[in-house]
């Protein structure tokens, strides 16, 4: 499949964990719990190098060569090392500071049992998995011994452990398709409900058995799933292999819930990245991704096709190191989908031959060109971790790209964004209310909602999409207004209070295109909600559109909390009598500052207006039995009044 560079939606991490490659070591092991690679030379005698995701988890040491190492893992936090060399016992070594750095050994207690492997469930708790069951121990590093916590007898073919959930899966029965899960938590183990994996039908007398290669365990959308790679069966005429997902709850029965159609046959490997199931196909050297929340209901089961067309992982180049590499040597291409690759859950790929551990990553930008249905694309993006800027770029592209003009698509996208936005606002409100009501049994269960990148609020849309969009050349103004009003409609539909700057954007756009009749209608029918900032914006438009002045005053009056602003507006227009009439109409004339009105009256250079205003406040002060000089610092206005009209014009009590 020819792929252009902007269509690779999967890539290997830029800074891989690098370890000594297979040519210089005897064995390479991977510990899924700590995400560590162990490179063991000569059984450990000439060195064990442990590389983890960061330098803190990297360590190097030596140990005695007591035979071939079958399994090697640190407990959580690199505190205790466990090494299995035989099928009968596991050796331990303390790495805790100030503890003796000596090895001690422990044999499995079940007679004639063979140890298949072990899993650390805590820094000092370990479970031995044998072919006859499990043995759960507490390691006592100071005493260099193990204490049995619990054992369970059951025939075991193979096992799989999910460190994220501390769930151990055992394959039982002859065909290996009955799986028995156990859950571990702080020194306790609980037996979960066993379940059966349905194997493909084969002609008799042949019998299939379940291989651990075809099973993976992973957490998807915070739920634990067992993924079964069901290969193509010639007898059933099925079009190809499929991945069957079994949902494994902590309590209750495990059910088959999803089927991922692969539509091809061959060798596959599974990863889970950002809640997406990734299926790698070796022969075509491509990968497919599935999102189990994009539902295509087929009866009780969710049957899923790939979200996007099959694509290869983005080509990767390796920088050669070591004595053979020349300083100026160019990086060499890495062989993708190599047979030496090992895939681990959830998102790890290891190449033992090249000595690299990569994290698989999803790139969202290429999905924009591969998923044409904008509604489906938005559903897909809203569930991804780093989605904000990509979603905003989809919105911009939708308004100015080839799709422009399709308002129903715009409406769908806005509604999907605002639904997530509203859910976050409601959760935040519920949390705040629970906290304010004081400690109670219900409030302790409330966790502060996490604001994910999927929450696209009004300021995001304004800053990154709408303000740029209104300035775009070549876009019809009717479409611009329609888009702005569509976003406001969507906010209103979800009962989200619209921020004033969105209304301001509408008004500025209408004015810019001389659509004053439309502006008048929007205000008259309250399409644009009243607010002080909006009223002030209308005032500033008076020179361009004179009726804006009255529209602004009407809005301020409706707000009923904006009396001061109305007075300021009228005084700034030298409508001093109008301001006085308004202040009397709302019954606030006894408390208002006389100086503000007298200042404005003086500035008009109309002495009779000044006389009228002065007389009004003079009479008010007589009624309230106060002096001009005592309220409002009006001495200069009293002096001016005397100068123009004479001292005898003053009312007697006003100067008392």
């Amino acid at each position: 499949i020819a792929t252009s560079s902007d269509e690779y939606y999967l890539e290997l991490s830029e800074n891989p964990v690098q370890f000594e490659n297979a040519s210089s070591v005897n064995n390479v092991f991977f510990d899924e719990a700590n995400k560590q690679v162990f490179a063991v030379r000569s059984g450990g005698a000439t060195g064990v190098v442990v590389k983890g995701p960061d330098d803190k988890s990297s360590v190097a040491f030596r140990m005695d060569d007591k035979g071939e190492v079958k399994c090697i893992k640190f407990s959580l936090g690199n505190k205790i090392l466990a090494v299995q060399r035989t099928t009968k016992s596991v050796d331990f070594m303390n790495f805790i500071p100030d503890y003796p750095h000596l090895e001690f050994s422990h044999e499995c207690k079940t007679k004639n049992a063979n140890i298949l492997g072990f899993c650390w469930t805590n820094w000092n708790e370990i479970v031995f998995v044998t072919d006859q069951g499990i043995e759960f121990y507490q390691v006592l590093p100071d005493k260099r011994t193990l204490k049995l916590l619990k054992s369970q007898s059951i025939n075991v073919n193979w096992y799989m452990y999910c460190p994220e959930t501390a769930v151990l899966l055992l394959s039982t029965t002859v065909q290996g398709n009955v799986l028995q899960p156990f859950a571990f938590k702080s020194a306790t183990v609980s037996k979960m409900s066993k379940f059966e994996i349905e194997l493909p039908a084969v002609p008799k007398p042949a019998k299939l058995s379940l291989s651990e290669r075809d099973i993976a365990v992973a957490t998807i959308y915070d739920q634990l799933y067992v993924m079964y790679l069901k290969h193509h069966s010639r007898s059933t005429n099925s079009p190809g292999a499929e991945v069957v997902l079994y949902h494994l709850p902590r309590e209750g029965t495990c059910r088959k819930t999803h089927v991922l159609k692969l539509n091809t046959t061959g060798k596959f490997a599974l990863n889970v990245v950002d809640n997406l199931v990734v299926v790698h196909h070796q022969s075509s050297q491509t990968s497919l991704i599935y999102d189990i929340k994009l539902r295509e209901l087929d009866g009780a089961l969710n049957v899923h096709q790939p979200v996007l067309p099959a694509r290869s992982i983005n080509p990767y180049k390796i920088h050669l190191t070591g004595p053979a590499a020349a300083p100026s040597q160019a990086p060499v291409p890495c062989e993708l989908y190599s047979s030496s690759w090992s895939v681990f859950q959830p998102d790890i790929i290891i190449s033992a031959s090249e000595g690299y551990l990569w994290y698989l990553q999803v790139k969202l930008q290429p999905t924009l060109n591969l998923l044409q249905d904008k509604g489906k694309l938005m559903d897909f993006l809203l569930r991804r971790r780093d989605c904000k800027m990509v979603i905003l770029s989809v919105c911009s592209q939708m308004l100015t790209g080839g799709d422009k003009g399709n308002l129903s698509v715009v409406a769908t996208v806005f509604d999907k964004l605002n639904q997530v936005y509203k859910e976050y606002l409601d959760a935040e409100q519920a949390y705040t209310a629970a906290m304010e009501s004081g400690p109670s049994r219900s409030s302790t269960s409330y966790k502060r909602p996490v604001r994910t990148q999927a929450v696209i609020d009004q300021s995001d849309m304004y800053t990154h999409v709408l303000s740029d969009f209104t300035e775009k050349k070549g876009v019809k103004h009717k479409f611009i207004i329609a888009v702005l009003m569509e976003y406001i409609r969507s906010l209103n539909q979800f009962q989200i209070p619209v921020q004033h700057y969105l209304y301001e954007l509408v008004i500025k756009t209408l004015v810019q295109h001389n659509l004053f009749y439309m502006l008048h209608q929007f205000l008259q029918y309250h399409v644009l909600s009243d607010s002080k900032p909006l009223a002030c914006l209308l005032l500033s438009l008076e020179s361009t559109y004179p009726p804006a002045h009255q529209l602004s005053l009407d809005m301020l009056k409706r707000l009923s909390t904006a009396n001061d602003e109305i007075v300021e507006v009228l005084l700034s227009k030298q409508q001093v009598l109008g301001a006085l009439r308004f202040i009397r109409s709302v019954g606030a004339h006894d408390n208002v500052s006389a100086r503000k009105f007298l200042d404005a009256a003086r500035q008009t250079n109309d002495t009779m207006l000044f006389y009228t205003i002065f007389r009004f406040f003079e009479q008010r002060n007589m009624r309230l039995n106060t002096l001009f000089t005592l309220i409002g610092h009006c001495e200069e206005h009293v002096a001016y009044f005397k100068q123009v009209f004479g001292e005898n014009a003053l009312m007697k009590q006003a100067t008392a």
Side-chain angles (χ1 to χ4, degrees):
I1 296 173
T3 308
S4 67
S5 60
D6 60 349
E7 285 193 2
Y8 294 111
Y9 52 76
L10 289 168
E11 63 182 357
L12 301 174
S13 51
E14 227 172 272
N15 299 311
V17 176
Q18 203 170 350
F19 57 92
E20 294 174 87
N21 59 36
S23 60
S24 62
V25 295
N26 304 96
N27 277 310
V28 174
F29 300 91
F30 180 63
D31 172 12
E32 290 182 69
N34 290 311
K35 307 280 187 282
Q36 290 172 321
V37 181
F38 287 76
V40 182
R41 285 198 300 253
S42 315
T46 55
V48 177
V49 177
V50 185
K51 288 289 183 79
D54 51 49
D55 291 338
K56 285 182 196 168
S57 54
S58 300
V59 64
F61 57 89
R62 293 184 181 196
M63 57 188 188
D64 295 338
D65 183 1
K66 296 179 181 176
E68 186 193 348
V69 174
K70 294 182 183 298
C71 185
I72 181 168
K73 292 174 195 172
F74 269 117
S75 71
L76 302 180
N78 288 7
K79 288 190 167 59
I80 306 165
L81 179 73
V83 185
Q84 184 194 344
R85 295 182 174 97
T86 72
T87 57
K88 300 296 178 188
S89 66
V90 176
D91 301 327
F92 296 88
M93 190 188 290
N94 284 331
F95 275 74
I96 304 167
D98 305 324
Y99 274 71
H101 202 62
L102 297 169
E103 279 195 28
F104 55 102
S105 189
H106 192 86
E107 286 192 12
C108 69
K109 76 173 194 69
T110 313
K111 280 189 179 178
N112 303 322
N114 293 315
I115 298 175
L116 302 176
F118 61 85
C119 309
W120 286 103
T121 61
N122 205 332
W123 79 267
N124 65 339
E125 288 162 19
I126 192 167
V127 56
F128 289 5
V129 184
T130 74
D131 54 4
Q132 293 181 34
I134 59 168
E135 298 173 14
F136 185 38
Y137 292 99
Q138 184 178 34
V139 183
L140 307 169
D142 49 341
K143 295 178 181 172
R144 293 196 292 139
T145 184
L146 274 68
K147 174 188 168 187
L148 182 68
L149 298 172
K150 191 165 184 181
S151 64
Q152 180 88 36
S153 292
I154 182 170
N155 286 332
V156 182
N157 304 307
W158 47 263
Y159 72 95
M160 197 158 281
Y161 182 63
C162 176
E164 201 178 345
T165 54
V167 169
L168 177 67
L169 212 58
L170 303 179
S171 157
T172 68
T173 70
V174 177
Q175 285 184 279
N177 64 326
V178 175
L179 301 180
Q180 174 62 65
F182 289 91
F184 295 85
K185 192 177 181 182
S186 56
T188 61
V189 55
S190 50
K191 194 175 185 180
M192 297 163 72
S193 301
K194 68 180 176 184
F195 61 99
E196 187 175 338
I197 300 280
E198 293 174 33
L199 297 174
V202 289
K204 290 180 180 180
K207 271 193 177 179
L208 275 181
S209 62
L210 183 65
S211 162
E212 66 184 294
R213 282 197 307 273
D214 297 332
I215 292 287
V217 187
T219 302
I220 308 168
Y221 292 116
D222 300 320
Q223 298 295 316
L224 185 61
Y225 288 91
V226 175
M227 301 187 285
Y228 166 47
L229 186 52
K230 189 176 182 181
H231 289 282
H232 166 71
S233 169
R234 286 194 181 88
S235 61
T236 55
N237 294 321
S238 61
E242 53 192 37
V243 176
V244 185
L245 267 62
Y246 292 80
H247 177 226
L248 185 54
R250 281 275 166 179
E251 289 168 11
T253 54
C254 180
R255 290 183 308 109
K256 184 164 119 175
T257 52
H258 300 272
V259 174
L260 317 181
K261 293 287 187 183
L262 305 187
N263 307 316
T264 185
T265 60
K267 276 188 178 179
F268 301 95
L270 302 173
N271 275 131
V272 173
V273 185
D274 203 1
N275 292 311
L276 296 167
V277 179
V278 182
V279 183
H280 306 291
H281 185 228
Q282 194 176 20
S283 57
S284 68
Q285 298 201 347
T286 58
S287 302
L288 295 163
I289 60 171
Y290 298 81
D291 185 347
I292 63 171
K293 283 214 172 169
L294 289 178
R295 292 170 183 255
E296 296 164 44
L297 288 173
D298 182 11
L301 270 186
N302 284 317
V303 177
H304 303 267
Q305 294 293 339
V307 177
L308 302 169
R311 289 290 183 267
S312 165
I313 294 169
N314 197 7
Y316 188 91
K317 290 190 174 179
I318 289 174
H319 292 269
L320 293 177
T321 55
S328 59
Q329 200 161 346
V332 296
C334 165
E335 187 193 343
L336 300 176
Y337 303 91
S338 158
S339 55
S340 73
W341 274 18
S342 301
V343 173
F344 295 93
Q345 297 313 315
D347 55 356
I348 284 165
I349 294 172
I350 291 178
S351 172
S353 61
E354 288 161 327
Y356 280 94
L357 178 152
W358 293 282
Y359 291 93
L360 187 65
Q361 296 167 341
V362 174
K363 292 198 299 180
L364 296 180
Q365 198 66 39
T367 64
L368 274 58
N369 303 323
L370 296 170
L371 201 53
Q372 296 306 317
D373 181 331
K374 287 288 184 287
K376 196 173 177 183
L377 174 64
M378 210 42 73
D379 287 338
F380 173 78
L381 291 174
L382 282 166
R383 297 193 184 98
R384 307 287 73 85
R385 204 171 23 234
D386 301 319
C387 63
K388 177 168 281 188
M389 296 318 292
V390 180
I391 286 173
L392 292 168
S393 75
V394 169
C395 293
S396 295
Q397 184 185 310
M398 171 181 74
L399 298 178
T400 56
D403 293 327
K404 71 176 182 217
N406 194 338
L407 261 184
S408 63
V409 173
V410 172
T412 301
V413 169
F414 285 164
D415 286 349
K416 285 181 185 294
L417 295 181
N418 288 329
Q419 185 176 352
V420 176
Y421 180 24
K422 175 65 171 169
E423 284 166 7
Y424 170 75
L425 291 175
D426 286 349
E428 186 73 46
Q429 201 174 352
Y431 172 79
T432 307
M435 292 303 107
E436 284 172 356
S437 65
S440 67
R441 270 187 299 181
S442 63
S443 70
T444 52
S445 63
Y446 270 100
K447 280 186 181 173
R448 186 178 196 106
V450 177
R451 184 177 178 135
T452 66
Q453 286 207 12
V455 178
I456 309 287
D457 64 19
Q458 295 172 67
S459 66
D460 294 323
M461 282 300 288
Y462 175 83
T463 308
H464 298 284
V465 180
L466 298 175
S467 57
D468 289 346
F469 168 60
T470 57
E471 302 293 325
K472 280 275 184 221
K473 300 264 191 299
V475 182
K476 290 179 180 173
H477 62 260
K478 282 185 182 176
F479 181 59
I480 292 174
I481 301 294
V483 166
L484 295 175
M485 296 317 296
E486 196 55 59
Y487 185 60
I488 289 168
R489 176 215 50 86
S490 179
L491 290 168
N492 286 329
Q493 182 179 312
F494 287 97
Q495 297 175 316
I496 300 169
V498 182
Q499 295 296 319
H500 66 84
Y501 47 76
L502 289 172
Y503 290 136
E504 286 174 20
L505 195 59
V506 173
I507 291 173
K508 283 176 183 172
T509 308
L510 290 168
V511 170
Q512 196 179 345
H513 297 283
N514 296 319
L515 299 169
F516 297 113
Y517 69 94
M518 196 181 279
L519 170 60
H520 213 108
Q521 284 182 320
F522 280 177
L523 292 164
Q524 199 174 352
Y525 295 108
H526 306 294
V527 174
L528 307 176
S529 298
D530 296 345
S531 73
K532 287 183 188 178
L534 211 56
C536 293
L537 176 65
L538 286 170
L539 272 177
S540 70
L541 297 173
E542 189 188 1
S543 59
T544 319
Y545 182 55
H549 174 72
Q550 192 56 47
L551 288 168
S552 167
L553 282 181
D554 292 344
M555 184 178 285
L556 288 168
K557 282 174 188 171
R558 286 194 300 271
L559 285 167
S560 74
T561 56
N563 295 342
D564 291 346
E565 284 84 353
I566 293 172
V567 169
E568 293 295 340
V569 168
L570 293 169
L571 292 179
S572 70
K573 297 287 176 190
Q574 297 192 334
Q575 295 178 21
V576 188
L577 282 175
L580 201 53
R581 284 191 204 102
F582 171 74
I583 215 70
R584 286 188 70 183
S585 72
V586 294
H589 51 291
D590 283 354
N591 304 317
V592 78
S593 159
R595 179 172 177 168
K596 189 190 291 184
F597 283 78
L598 292 168
D599 283 348
R602 281 276 296 275
Q603 284 170 4
T604 63
N605 295 321
D606 182 340
T607 52
M608 287 318 294
L609 174 65
F610 181 79
Y611 182 88
T612 306
I613 300 298
F614 191 91
R615 269 282 182 262
F616 172 81
F617 283 107
E618 207 176 22
Q619 288 168 353
R620 179 196 75 170
N621 290 357
M622 271 185 75
R623 184 165 45 82
L624 298 176
N625 200 21
T626 54
L627 293 173
F628 266 128
T629 49
L630 294 176
I631 59 159
H633 308 292
C634 293
E635 299 91 336
E636 62 180 282
H637 294 303
V638 173
Y640 176 73
F641 187 87
K642 287 179 189 174
Q643 181 192 330
V644 177
F645 301 103
E647 193 158 342
N648 293 334
L650 283 172
M651 295 174 80
K652 294 300 172 202
Q653 194 181 343
T655 54

